[in-house]
Amino acid sequence: LDRQRFRHVIAFFHHPPFSSGPHGGSTVEAAALAVRARYAPLFRQHHVRMTITGHEHLYERFAPQDPDGRSDAGQGIRQIIVGTGGAVLYSPLAPVANSDVRLSAFGVLKLTLVTDGFLGYGDSACAGLSCSSEEKASAQPARTIQTRKRGPVIKGTSKVPDTITIT
């Protein structure tokens, strides 16, 4: 890929390589293992910055990680699962490594691309990227996401502001 022309590459596909939902965690589906083995190394080789997937009927965001699921703030890929579009929602199970935020709620992903990164509601330009200490210092404090799904309010809290707006 021409890095001058395409500064930020995002890959969209169906099966997430990692998940805290019923298709990940301790029982990983064959499709997720195939993504890890076949595609994750290619994503890293071609400097993909973020992956956006579905399959799990929940929202989950991961800290940057390598193809084997190890934390990698410098060269890692941020993974976001957005399975919040209308099917019956799943409850997240025990969080897997590097899972920053898990939320069982209907919603949409609002992601804005800016010159130096990915920016969402309440985000700094650090979302999904390696940041300088000055950029990290300017990030807004944690906030709570709230939404209503035919019943009680569902809340999720994160240390890093979310790149999702749930309405």
Side-chain angles (χ1 to χ4, degrees):
L1 292 172
D2 178 356
R3 302 315 294 166
Q4 295 300 317
R5 187 169 172 210
F6 303 106
R7 292 186 56 169
H8 305 294
V9 178
I10 302 173
F12 294 84
F13 51 98
H14 186 72
H15 289 276
F18 301 95
S19 169
S20 299
H23 302 293
S26 61
T27 308
V28 181
E29 290 185 329
L33 293 173
V35 169
R36 290 182 195 179
R38 294 181 191 150
Y39 300 106
L42 289 172
F43 296 155
R44 186 170 180 102
Q45 177 185 347
H46 293 286
H47 308 286
V48 170
R49 303 303 297 264
M50 180 181 290
T51 63
I52 298 176
T53 64
H55 193 59
E56 296 282 17
H57 299 180
L58 48 76
Y59 170 78
E60 187 168 17
R61 187 187 70 222
F62 287 80
Q65 56 190 355
D66 72 12
D68 296 316
R70 292 182 298 252
S71 179
D72 184 351
Q75 298 297 315
I77 299 169
R78 182 171 297 276
Q79 175 189 315
I80 300 177
I81 301 170
V82 189
T84 58
V88 174
L89 294 168
Y90 300 158
S91 293
L93 304 175
V96 297
N98 305 311
S99 177
D100 280 343
V101 177
R102 294 153 308 285
L103 186 63
S104 179
F106 293 114
V108 298
L109 178 70
K110 180 181 179 182
L111 184 65
T112 304
L113 302 179
V114 294
T115 304
D116 294 324
F118 308 104
L119 190 63
Y121 178 79
D123 272 337
S124 71
C126 297
L129 304 173
S130 300
C131 298
S132 69
S133 56
E134 293 81 22
E135 290 170 318
K136 287 179 183 174
S138 70
Q140 295 179 12
R143 66 179 183 81
T144 300
I145 304 165
Q146 246 179 213
T147 188
R148 205 172 276 283
K149 179 202 154 250
R150 296 187 195 106
V153 172
I154 301 166
K155 295 182 181 180
T157 304
S158 66
K159 291 182 181 177
V160 179
D162 277 299
T163 56
I164 189 169
T165 302
I166 297 179
T167 55

